[in-house]
Amino acid sequence: MMYITRRERFTAAHRLYRPEWSDEKNTEVFGGCANPNWHGHNYEIFVTVKGEVNEELGYVMNLKDLSKILKEHVISKMDHRNLNLDVDFLKDVMTSTENVAIKIWEQIEGPIAELGIQLHCVKIAETENNYVEYYGKQ
Amino acid sequence: MMYITRRERFTAAHRLYRPEWSDEKNTEVFGGCANPNWHGHNYEIFVTVKGEVNEELGYVMNLKDLSKILKEHVISKMDHRNLNLDVDFLKDVMTSTENVAIKIWEQIEGPIAELGIQLHCVKIAETENNYVEYYGKQ
Amino acid sequence: MMYITRRERFTAAHRLYRPEWSDEKNTEVFGGCANPNWHGHNYEIFVTVKGEVNEELGYVMNLKDLSKILKEHVISKMDHRNLNLDVDFLKDVMTSTENVAIKIWEQIEGPIAELGIQLHCVKIAETENNYVEYYGKQ
Amino acid sequence: MMYITRRERFTAAHRLYRPEWSDEKNTEVFGGCANPNWHGHNYEIFVTVKGEVNEELGYVMNLKDLSKILKEHVISKMDHRNLNLDVDFLKDVMTSTENVAIKIWEQIEGPIAELGIQLHCVKIAETENNYVEYYGKQ
Amino acid sequence: MMYITRRERFTAAHRLYRPEWSDEKNTEVFGGCANPNWHGHNYEIFVTVKGEVNEELGYVMNLKDLSKILKEHVISKMDHRNLNLDVDFLKDVMTSTENVAIKIWEQIEGPIAELGIQLHCVKIAETENNYVEYYGKQ
Amino acid sequence: MMYITRRERFTAAHRLYRPEWSDEKNTEVFGGCANPNWHGHNYEIFVTVKGEVNEELGYVMNLKDLSKILKEHVISKMDHRNLNLDVDFLKDVMTSTENVAIKIWEQIEGPIAELGIQLHCVKIAETENNYVEYYGKQ
């Protein structure tokens, strides 16, 4: 079993808050991340797939294909966007890094499976000090 | 002459656009950076000062003092904010990295000069691929 | 199951040696790391916790809480210190990266568990070329 | 159980292609990586071993020993070389990162086992955007 | 005066040698870099331009334009290539990092000048430990 | 004129203090850096030399020669050492990063000049947030 990982990047604005809460409560719980005027990040996403190495081709999957899936289903929808307002698959989702990882997983699991490859992990780094890793429902 | 540099970081939303232009023209000129719903970055700021090494203390200036000035005049005003909406010293400023560097210079040149130290360079990295350096009016 | 990681940093002096051995034997076994006058590192610590995503809050745990635990139980005791002489929880411990990871685990496992969260991994990078990962007694 | 990792680096030329295919077909499948005149990389290799911490010595294994094994069996044979032409253990191997990882595993598993240590993972980063991880036949 | 920098990357094979020298002499002078079967690198190129900030647009030049020039005149010709064999503007050039920097400068100085912008520096990092900076004939 | 830079690394313990001051005063001025039991860093040193490109050899100087000078005059004396106690050329020197840069300059300027090359800059990064640059007496 081999694991291969592709890094992609996108830059986006977002905000953490619950709409039914007051600004005060949102700030108390989420700190600066609740700023009503948004803040943003250079997100790094690391997508890991696993599989056997194809004997003829020498790889688990062509990283160009993985990169194409990520660009079509993730980067083109999230880059230079507002995660709360602009991204169809994040509608009504609290845009925490955890939830963003889950939703990205749901976006790409199917297209990767269609190529006969198994998605293993979606890792998202929000800053150089914080990242999350999601391995799917297990 | 010795140069010392302190790195600080802040995360912010922003948008590039001219208010008198249509959305179409803004997108044509500024691309995804013009997104009306904002996008954002993890900004890195590198502030370089220059001076003689103080013989008794061994340094040009105490980096704690430099860090304090940056936190008071820059980071506390920009971190987790919207550069276009929330930052007093960026009012009516196109929030390009170039302009942000100039305005940060103007914010910190005085407080650093009060300590008898000369500001040399404000460098801002917007992404891992792009940065600007400003050396003041010369 | 979601895994989230927080990076913190501290700078410290230390030395690898067994007090009952001669300087020669210590140097033979531990090389330059046995220098009686100490050496030091910029340590990076990556603490990973795991758990379910809280539906209301969108996260496994508030990273501010994790950071606070790390600052109180680890960074405030280790930063700008001598690991062999100054750190209560490293008394009589060979300050190898492995042992430091185990002792940090013991320091933070309880406070993290009190918040209902499970500690998953303590990773410590001593240099850009060396790191250890500890997953607890299993 | 503790995991320790050593990073080493080597720089090499290589090419992805199947000799029985035409240049056109090789380019169609492998893109620029099929260039008959070669291209190259600064490879980073991260080797992880696992084991119990030796109580007397404080470590799983002396990283100098791990580094020596890597230099003797891997780096000295691959650094400043052509992976397709110059490396005995890559003879007739498609030099994909996946296959390189498997072959490096085979090179070092024995020498590490002789020290009573268990090889856990060979990770190779080909660029800042791509890496593979191999955990052996399981 | 403002300086802005764009990073681009390419991966390539190359070799340092003088054709009129024996293999022995080439190895004596250039070490492993003289390997007749080539080696390679992930090159990073940092191109810095300088100019006044355009008041209407807020920038010295549109980084998309700079990136387009670099892709057309540099990256598309060098990425996944052999610097000694495949690159027209490196014909009969010793492909040291210094010479590569000079030749890249010559490639892009004109197209950048056509936009009314002044090229300031071409920096090339060959490995994480080595880089060169060229500021043009002065 | 071309500038080339070599990075080397060393790990060391040190302490900032004036021996004629009380511990309290040292702590007041130098903070945690005054800890009597020392702390330490992974230092990165970037040495830049400048010169014309040798037409026959294609480089300003052989980086192997630069690396050898740095290893002989700097790294072998500083790595895994205590800067205050173990380094002959730092005797009675306040081991601030500024002073360390000046003293390293004095160590290597001569040997580099003997090769007909001009030392341009010694840059030392003490942490990922702090660095100094020294260009010699001008």
Side-chain angles (χ1 to χ4, degrees), chain D residues 13 17 38 81-88 90-91 95, chain E residues 36-38:
Chain D
Y17 74 112
W38 321 97
R81 303 296 171 85
N82 184 309
L83 300 188
N84 298 67
L85 303 178
D86 296 334
V87 183
D88 55 1
L90 293 177
K91 208 167 213 49
T95 58
Chain E
N37 285 333
W38 321 97

Side-chain angles (χ1 to χ4, degrees), chain C residues 7 11 37 40 42 86 128, chain F residues 7 11 37 40-42 86 128:
Chain C
R7 183 187 75 136
T11 170
N37 285 334
N42 304 328
D86 296 334
E128 68 185 36
Chain F
R7 182 188 74 134
T11 170
N37 285 334
H41 298 289
N42 302 329
D86 296 333
E128 67 185 38

Side-chain angles (χ1 to χ4, degrees), chain E residues 15 20 34 47 55 75 82 85 91-94 101 105 124-125 127 129 133:
Chain E
R15 178 194 176 197
E20 69 272 23
V47 173
E55 288 223 5
I75 305 303
N82 183 310
L85 302 179
K91 208 169 213 49
D92 300 324
V93 173
M94 167 83 72
W105 176 286
I124 304 183
T127 72
N129 292 328
E133 292 160 297

Side-chain angles (χ1 to χ4, degrees), chain C residues 7 9 11-13 32-33 35 37-44 79-82 85-86 125-129, chain F residues 7 9 11-13 32-33 35 37-44 80-82 85-86 125-129:
Chain C
R7 183 187 75 136
R9 297 176 300 119
T11 170
C33 298
N35 178 17
N37 285 334
W38 321 98
H39 66 290
H41 298 289
N42 304 328
Y43 288 91
E44 285 186 291
D79 190 34
H80 284 84
R81 302 296 170 87
N82 184 308
L85 302 179
D86 296 334
E126 202 184 55
T127 71
E128 68 185 36
N129 291 330
Chain F
R7 182 188 74 134
R9 298 174 299 118
T11 170
C33 298
N35 178 17
N37 285 334
W38 320 97
H39 66 291
H41 298 289
N42 302 329
Y43 289 90
E44 287 186 290
H80 284 86
R81 302 298 171 85
N82 184 309
L85 302 179
D86 296 333
E126 203 184 55
T127 72
E128 67 185 38
N129 292 329

Side-chain angles (χ1 to χ4, degrees), chain A residues 35-106:
Chain A
N35 178 17
N37 284 334
W38 322 97
H39 66 290
H41 299 288
N42 303 329
Y43 289 89
E44 286 186 291
I45 168 171
F46 300 79
V47 172
T48 303
V49 301
K50 67 177 171 184
E52 300 293 332
V53 178
N54 180 305
E55 288 223 4
E56 187 179 35
L57 299 171
Y59 48 57
V60 172
M61 79 179 285
N62 195 323
L63 277 174
K64 280 185 210 311
D65 294 333
L66 181 52
S67 181
K68 207 193 304 185
I69 289 172
L70 295 177
K71 287 203 170 102
E72 180 184 341
H73 296 276
V74 179
I75 306 303
S76 69
K77 295 181 174 182
M78 302 181 86
D79 190 34
H80 284 86
R81 301 298 170 84
N82 184 309
L83 301 188
N84 298 66
L85 302 179
D86 295 334
V87 182
D88 56 1
F89 62 82
L90 293 177
K91 207 167 212 50
D92 301 323
V93 173
M94 167 85 71
T95 58
S96 63
T97 320
E98 285 92 332
N99 282 342
V100 171
I102 292 171
K103 292 299 175 184
I104 287 177
W105 176 287
E106 293 172 356

Side-chain angles (χ1 to χ4, degrees), chain C:
Chain C
M1 194 65 77
M2 183 73 69
Y3 299 77
I4 63 172
T5 299
R6 174 74 188 172
R7 183 187 75 136
E8 299 284 348
R9 297 176 300 119
F10 62 91
T11 170
H14 87 130
R15 178 193 176 197
L16 294 185
Y17 74 111
R18 292 201 65 83
E20 69 273 22
W21 289 355
S22 67
D23 278 3
E24 289 68 29
K25 176 145 190 208
N26 274 310
T27 297
E28 185 195 320
V29 174
F30 296 113
C33 298
N35 178 17
N37 285 334
W38 321 98
H39 66 290
H41 298 289
N42 304 328
Y43 288 91
E44 285 186 291
I45 169 171
F46 301 78
V47 173
T48 303
V49 301
K50 68 178 170 184
E52 301 293 331
V53 178
N54 180 305
E55 289 222 3
E56 187 178 35
L57 299 171
Y59 49 56
V60 172
M61 79 178 284
N62 196 324
L63 278 174
K64 279 184 210 310
D65 294 333
L66 180 51
S67 181
K68 207 194 302 185
I69 288 172
L70 295 177
K71 288 203 169 101
E72 179 183 342
H73 295 277
V74 178
I75 306 303
S76 68
K77 295 180 174 182
M78 303 181 86
D79 190 34
H80 284 84
R81 302 296 170 87
N82 184 308
L83 300 188
N84 297 67
L85 302 179
D86 296 334
V87 182
D88 56 1
F89 63 82
L90 292 177
K91 206 167 216 49
D92 301 322
V93 173
M94 168 84 72
T95 57
S96 63
T97 321
E98 285 92 331
N99 283 341
V100 171
I102 293 171
K103 291 300 175 184
I104 288 177
W105 176 287
E106 293 173 356
Q107 282 295 107
I108 62 178
E109 187 181 21
I112 289 171
E114 276 175 34
L115 299 177
I117 309 292
Q118 194 179 343
L119 180 56
H120 176 65
C121 181
V122 171
K123 171 181 167 179
I124 305 183
E126 202 184 55
T127 71
E128 68 185 36
N129 291 330
N130 301 333
Y131 62 83
V132 308
E133 291 160 298
Y134 180 59
Y135 293 86
K137 281 185 196 137
Q138 285 167 328

Side-chain angles (χ1 to χ4, degrees), chain A residues 7 11 37 40-42 86 128, chain B residues 7 11 37 40 42 86 128:
Chain A
R7 183 187 74 134
T11 169
N37 284 334
H41 299 288
N42 303 329
D86 295 334
E128 67 185 38
Chain B
R7 182 187 76 135
T11 170
N37 285 334
N42 303 329
D86 296 334
E128 67 186 36

